Amino acid sequence: MVESQHDLYPEVIGAPKYRRGHAAGSDTGLPAGTEVFSADNHISVAEDIFYDRFPADLKEQAPRIWYEDGAYMVGCQGQSFVVGDFSAVLMQYDDLTGAVSSNIEARVHDLAADGVDKELVFPNAVLALFHLPDKRLRERVFRVYNEHIAAVQERSRGHCYGVGLINWWDARGARRTLAELKSLGLKTFLMPLYPGIDDDGAAIDYSSTAMRAVWEEIEQAGLPITHHIGESQPKIPSAVNSVAVAMMVNIDSFREMFSKYIFGGILDRHPQLRVGWFEGGIAWVPTALQDAEHVLASYSHMLRQHPQHDIRHYWDTHMCASFMVDHVGLRLIDQIGTDKVMWSSDYPHNESTFGYSERSLAAVVRAVGPEKAAHIVGGNVRTFLGI
């Protein structure tokens, strides 16, 4: 029986900076020698990498990184691009020594103490640079970040795998940035759920004809795509507990992109693509598949282009998702597939399992048994990354 979320939480819940990893050596029920590989962790950049690495004639345009009120900010002219609730959330965990890329040794130590051997690392505040208006500047920023996180990956000696950033708005740029990313040894990259606007000011539609050449470049590169929560904002800000409202909106942010892969024909046109959904849990998957099947049956007569396969095929063939603590998802694991889900710690975020990861890992074992759990907590993300 899978316990409730409450059963997994620490007895005293405080800010993550007060937690300490203590799971190393704990009896989680996993088979001896299981390598625990968190599929979704995060890292903050403490150094002023963009200003330092931009050429002299462009330094004035470079985004700056600085420390303020407990968090590393990204912005220009002293104005942070990370504002409001997201800024407040960052301040909850950047004080952890291992939260920043400049101290990879402390990070590896934190994870090891928490029973985690390896990690896939997504950026934190740097994502505020996703939609810099100057696209040439944006691509230069991405290149600097990729070089930085690749160096962190190298210094980690096999413990940390960085998620890179690419040009998604034009095919030649996609080819160029994908080649650079692969040459740096990065195994995957993050694409925004909401791709912004084109040079004419029109919204970019991933399923449009104009984007097909970009998807062709991604398909030919052979690297898996990652999508991550964190881009959605409440349409009407909440006057009370806005952080909680914003997080609830963010957690449920995959459906539009999920639908475009299937109903927009992206996966039919590019059948070699592999897609991972991160930090949104796994309980959403059965309902998304069920609703997609119902939509297809109900509106088939109105579709200009029909999916070439049944709905389930797209999930089973192309997709997977990560979770931290998801007792509902684990109860539905037979509908999702034990080979399609990846456990994560989400260190050092507020919602991370850091400080009680052994409970979350043990819950996976109780839900599916030791052998299948070993794949969920380590093997599946290795398969996704091709390592």
Side-chain angles (χ1 to χ4, degrees):
M1 177 179 177
V2 180
E3 58 269 72
S4 69
Q5 308 277 94
H6 177 75
D7 292 332
L8 294 176
Y9 292 151
E11 288 81 359
V12 179
I13 298 179
K17 59 189 173 185
Y18 300 125
R19 295 184 194 161
R20 295 290 182 271
H22 59 271
S26 298
D27 184 9
T28 59
L30 289 166
T34 298
E35 180 182 74
V36 176
F37 194 141
S38 173
D40 172 32
N41 284 1
H42 291 265
I43 201 162
S44 292
V45 177
E47 303 99 323
D48 201 10
I49 58 172
F50 305 113
Y51 184 80
D52 291 345
R53 300 187 189 188
F54 268 39
D57 60 329
L58 293 178
K59 282 191 181 294
E60 289 188 2
Q61 301 178 49
R64 303 301 299 267
I65 294 176
W66 70 95
Y67 188 77
E68 179 181 319
D69 294 333
Y72 288 95
M73 297 296 169
V74 176
C76 288
Q77 299 179 341
Q79 182 64 45
S80 176
F81 295 155
V82 186
V83 296
D85 290 330
F86 286 113
S87 176
V89 167
L90 283 175
M91 293 173 188
Q92 291 294 302
Y93 51 78
D94 270 359
D95 274 347
L96 279 169
T97 309
V100 295
S101 58
S102 57
N103 200 340
I104 191 64
E105 294 81 8
R107 185 179 186 89
V108 171
H109 178 271
D110 272 358
L111 294 172
D114 207 40
V116 178
D117 301 296
K118 297 182 186 297
E119 60 173 347
L120 181 63
V121 181
F122 289 82
N124 273 328
V126 167
L127 293 185
L129 304 174
F130 248 170
H131 298 293
L132 285 171
D134 185 328
K135 291 185 173 68
R136 288 178 296 180
L137 180 66
R138 189 193 303 171
E139 186 173 319
R140 183 179 289 274
V141 163
F142 289 1
R143 183 179 303 114
V144 170
Y145 180 76
N146 290 341
E147 291 171 350
H148 177 76
I149 198 62
V152 171
Q153 177 174 298
E154 180 68 22
R155 294 202 311 273
S156 79
R157 299 185 298 277
H159 291 284
C160 169
Y161 289 82
V163 176
L165 305 172
I166 71 162
N167 176 332
W168 67 80
W169 53 91
D170 75 76
R172 286 184 295 180
R175 182 188 310 124
R176 180 170 55 247
T177 52
L178 283 162
E180 291 170 353
L181 189 136
K182 292 176 73 173
S183 72
L184 290 168
L186 301 179
K187 303 298 184 183
T188 188
F189 58 92
L190 179 63
M191 285 187 76
L193 295 168
Y194 307 103
I197 59 175
D198 63 21
D199 292 336
D200 297 322
I204 296 173
D205 177 2
Y206 279 137
S207 62
S208 68
T209 300
M211 285 295 293
R212 292 184 183 182
V214 171
W215 289 115
E216 286 174 4
E217 294 296 341
I218 294 172
E219 186 176 32
Q220 289 175 17
L223 296 179
I225 303 156
T226 70
H227 294 294
H228 198 284
I229 68 167
E231 298 174 48
S232 302
Q233 293 282 344
K235 293 180 175 61
I236 302 174
S238 176
V240 179
N241 290 335
S242 58
V243 168
V245 173
M247 288 305 300
M248 288 293 289
V249 171
N250 268 291
I251 289 168
D252 186 25
S253 58
F254 289 149
R255 276 208 169 199
E256 182 176 348
M257 191 65 222
F258 173 82
S259 300
K260 288 194 173 185
Y261 276 117
I262 297 174
F263 292 112
I266 296 171
L267 293 177
D268 284 337
R269 291 188 293 271
H270 309 284
Q272 302 305 313
L273 294 179
R274 293 179 295 125
V275 183
W277 308 95
F278 291 84
E279 206 172 323
I282 57 176
W284 67 274
V285 175
T287 57
L289 294 172
Q290 172 182 267
D291 291 348
E293 289 169 350
H294 189 62
V295 166
L296 180 59
S298 302
Y299 294 94
S300 179
H301 63 291
M302 297 180 67
L303 302 183
R304 289 189 304 167
Q305 176 181 321
H306 285 72
Q308 296 175 6
H309 306 277
D310 63 83
I311 297 298
R312 182 79 206 195
H313 167 89
Y314 297 100
W315 173 257
D316 290 341
T317 306
H318 299 278
M319 300 182 186
C320 58
S322 78
F323 71 99
M324 293 94 74
V325 177
D326 194 335
H327 76 282
V328 174
L330 289 175
R331 286 174 179 167
L332 299 172
I333 196 69
D334 289 343
Q335 300 177 43
I336 304 168
T338 55
D339 61 331
K340 310 301 292 182
V341 300
M342 303 169 289
W343 178 86
S344 64
S345 161
D346 197 37
Y347 172 92
H349 280 183
N350 286 33
E351 62 271 26
S352 74
T353 66
F354 182 62
Y356 60 99
S357 289
E358 75 280 7
R359 300 186 187 187
S360 181
L361 293 167
V364 178
V365 174
R366 286 190 288 274
V368 302
E371 298 304 323
K372 290 180 179 179
H375 292 287
I376 291 173
V377 308
N380 291 345
V381 65
R382 294 184 67 92
T383 299
F384 176 74
L385 296 174
I387 58 176

